[in-house]
Amino acid sequence: MEALGGELLRQGAEGRVYAFSLFGRPCIVKERFAKRYRHPTLDERLTRSRLNCEARCITKAAAAGLRTPTLYGLDYTTGRVYMERIIGHTIRDRIADLQEKADTSSMRVLARDMGHCVAMLHNTGLVHGDLTTSNFMQEDESGDVVMIDFGLAYATLLPEDMAVDIYVLERAVESTHREAETLLDAFRGAYAAKANKSREVLAKLEEVRARGRKRVMVG
């Protein structure tokens, strides 16, 4: 990718993310690593399955009206996903900036927007799998909140899976942001107002939290 003018944005255990230009459009390229410990045929099959799942989830979420990066294409040979690059800032960075300005009102607006996004996602029968404030962006031009990185997303109709999705976000917010409860109150209120299964999901969320506390106590 570097040889083609790609800029490495980040690297994790599963792969790399590059900024790139595709026919003049700002583009993100996610490249999955080959797993050397797996048989090549199995690794290729699993990579193809994961790429297809990510693409289906992005497409389904977008069709339901959720703002996501536009999917441009897949390359099974290289394990790459090509999609729109969102020009903006992560919600994590936006909240940090607003905290410095003591702008609690704007922070709550962003949290409500995230709650609406997650509710819309769950209403389509999908969960994200890695909800953090780094996986939402606010687009510079429109101000819209965009959900990104569907690499762990999958289809489900189970309220418990949706509750775990929210629990992951709660833990991420609590470990990252000073005014976590203010943000989470706004998020949960927006989610409850928009999610079709909000009563069942939020009831399950209490059970998931209890299991999480028990694991922390046991160690």
Side-chain angles (χ1 to χ4, degrees):
M1 289 299 303
E2 292 94 334
L4 296 175
E7 173 195 355
L8 180 63
L9 296 181
R10 64 179 184 269
Q11 178 171 326
E14 293 295 316
R16 303 182 186 94
V17 178
Y18 295 90
F20 190 59
S21 179
L22 185 67
F23 303 116
R25 296 179 177 180
C27 179
I28 287 290
V29 182
K30 293 177 62 180
E31 183 178 56
R32 287 181 173 270
F33 295 137
K35 301 296 191 298
R36 303 299 180 190
Y37 59 83
R38 284 199 290 237
H39 188 282
T41 302
L42 175 61
D43 187 59
E44 182 181 349
R45 186 182 305 155
L46 291 174
T47 297
R48 179 183 289 263
S49 175
R50 190 62 253 174
L51 291 176
N52 283 334
C53 184
E54 182 171 2
R56 282 195 299 268
C57 289
I58 292 172
T59 302
K60 186 175 181 181
L66 185 63
R67 180 70 174 96
T68 68
T70 301
L71 182 68
Y72 293 150
L74 306 176
D75 186 334
Y76 296 119
T77 303
T78 58
R80 292 172 182 166
V81 183
Y82 295 81
M83 65 186 76
E84 173 191 9
R85 183 180 186 183
I86 303 300
I87 306 302
H89 298 81
T90 66
I91 296 300
R92 176 176 179 162
D93 289 344
R94 290 287 293 121
I95 289 173
D97 181 55
L98 292 169
Q99 284 177 330
E100 292 301 316
K101 298 174 181 176
D103 189 349
T104 303
S105 177
S106 295
M107 287 167 49
R108 290 181 64 86
V109 169
L110 289 177
R112 285 197 295 269
D113 287 345
M114 288 194 300
H116 289 151
C117 287
V118 176
M120 291 175 67
L121 185 73
H122 290 177
N123 287 347
T124 68
L126 299 173
V127 295
H128 185 275
D130 189 23
L131 288 176
T132 71
T133 50
S134 294
N135 281 335
F136 291 90
M137 295 187 68
Q138 186 174 38
E139 197 169 27
D140 284 346
E141 185 174 348
S142 67
D144 291 342
V145 170
V146 186
M147 186 180 287
I148 64 171
D149 196 353
F150 285 72
L152 296 177
Y154 62 95
T156 180
L157 296 175
L158 296 177
E160 180 155 352
D161 290 341
M162 298 172 187
V164 171
D165 219 22
I166 295 173
Y167 180 68
V168 169
L169 178 64
E170 287 185 338
R171 294 296 299 269
V173 170
E174 288 166 355
S175 66
T176 306
H177 300 290
R178 292 196 304 269
E179 298 183 52
E181 202 50 45
T182 296
L183 295 167
L184 292 173
D185 280 347
F187 171 88
R188 286 188 291 258
Y191 180 87
K194 203 171 187 71
N196 296 337
K197 296 183 178 180
S198 63
R199 184 174 299 179
E200 299 97 316
V201 172
L202 294 177
K204 282 291 181 183
L205 179 58
E206 290 294 337
E207 298 177 17
V208 172
R209 287 188 193 126
R211 292 201 297 269
R213 286 192 294 268
K214 185 175 180 180
R215 280 196 295 270
V216 170
M217 291 172 62
V218 172

